[in-house]
Amino acid sequence: MTATGLRPFQGRRVLLGVSGGIASYKTAGLARLLTTAGAEVDVVLTRAATEFIGAVTFEALTGRPVHIGLFTPGRTLDHIKLARDADVVVVAPATADFMARAAMGLADDLLTACLLATESPVLLVAAMNDRMWAHAQTQANADHLRGLGYRLLEPEEGLLAAGEGSGPGRMAAPDTILAHVGRLLEPASSFAGRTVLVTAGPTREQIDPVRFLSNYSSGKMGVAIAAAAWRRGAKVSLVAGPITVPVPVGVEHVFVQSTTEMRDAVAGRVGTADVLVMSAAPADYQPAAPSANKLKKTGSARELELRETPDILVTTRASRKPGAVVVGFALETDDLLANAKRKLDAKGLDLVILNAANEPGAGFGVDTNRVTIVQRGAPEPEQLPLLDKRAVADAILDRVEALINGR
Ligand code: CTP
C-alpha cells in the first residue's frame, strides 16, 4: 500500500503475541504485513517462542521494542500498559499449551497477563500438531475460549512440521490473519449483517472449443470491493469471471465463464442482496452460433456473426430486493459524463463509477484507479484522485453506506 497505509490499520496499535510453535516463523511475515499496512505493532513473545524465533527479528520488522518477561525491572507494569494501548490483540500461533493456559485464565507470563488485562478484541490463531488439535481437551479449550468472547481462527489443512505429513494443524497464512485483524479493527458500520453481492472480472464468449471473445478486465476492482465489504462486517458473495487475482478472505464465491452464466448467478442471488455492486466487465456480444468443432483456416476472410448478450443489470432489475443500493460501473472513451448519466437511468442505478478507458494508471489490469462518482440526484459528480484500488473501494463503500443510512 502507499505511505499513508491501509484502512483500518493506519496508526492503530496491534499487540501481536507469539507462543512457542514452529509456525512462529510465519508470524514474522504477519508482523511485516501489519507494519506495512500502517499499524504500530507491539510484539510479546512467550519464553517458548524465543526457542523458535528471536526478538531481534521482530524488532527489525516492527521498528519497536519486543517484550518478553513479566518481571523486567522498570517494566513491571508492561502488561497493563500494552493491554490498555492495544486496539486489537492477536496471538499467532496460539499453541495447544497457550490455549490451555488462556482457557484457565492463568497470568503467569506477560502474554497471558495481557489477555486478562485487555478490553480490546482478541484473535487467537491456532496452530499445532494435528493430533493435538483433534484432542478432546484442546477442543474443549477452544469452545471455552470462544464462549469467553475470543475469536478463534482454526488451523488449516496442510503440511505440518517435517516428518509429520499433513493435516488440520497448520497456522492460517499471514494475509488471511491480516484480513481478520482488519475486520476486528473496523469501526461499527451499517454493513454489519448486510448482504453484499459483487461481480468482478471479464466474461468469455466461446467461438469454438479453443477460442473466445473477452476483454482485459482483471477483476482487481471488484475483488477490492468484496474484500472491503467483508472487512466492514457484510456477508459477501462474489460472482466472478476468469479473474487474475485471488478471491478475498471470508467471501463466498462462484466462478462463471459467459455473460449468460453471470446473469444466472446474479439472478439467483440478487433477491437477498442489500447492496449490488456490478463491477464486472461482461462481454456485450457473443458468437451467434459457436462451433462445436475447432474452426479451421480456409485461406480466406471469415465473418463471425455476433449477437448481444443479456444485460445483467437490466434483466435482473425486477428481482432486486426492495430498497437495495445498486452500483454500476462505466468504462468510457468518449462523452464520459453523458454516458455515465445515461447508464444511471437506463440500468436503475444509485451510483455510477466512471473511469476513462485510456487514462494511464486507471482501468483494467493496474492496481490504481481514478474514478468519478456519479450519484442519482446529486448536483455534481465527485472526482477522486488517482488511488490504490483498495482506497477506491473504500471511497465507493463510504457512499454506499451513506445511501443505506438514508433509506
Ligand atoms: N453490465 C451488465 N450486463 C452487461 C454489460 C454490462 O450488467 N451485459 C453492467 C456492467 O457491469 C457495468 C454497467 O453495466 O456495471 C455498465 O457497463 P458498460 O460495459 O460500461 O456499459 P454497456 O451497458 O455495455 O454499454 P456500452 O457498451 O454502450 O458502453
Side-chain angles (χ1 to χ4, degrees), residues 6 35 90 155 186 214 294 300 312 316 336 339 359 362 382 398:
L6 185 58
T35 306
V90 189
E186 192 66 35
S214 191
K294 186 185 171 199
S300 57
I312 299 170
T316 60
L336 311 192
N339 275 321
E359 187 172 332
E382 184 186 355
D398 285 344

Side-chain angles (χ1 to χ4, degrees), residues 3 50 71 84 106-107 128 131 135 158 177 270 285 332-333 403 405:
T50 62
F71 304 111
R84 190 186 48 223
L106 296 187
M128 64 198 71
R131 289 180 300 280
H135 196 286
I177 305 171
V270 74
Y285 288 94
E332 307 289 348
T333 53
L403 287 170
N405 293 342

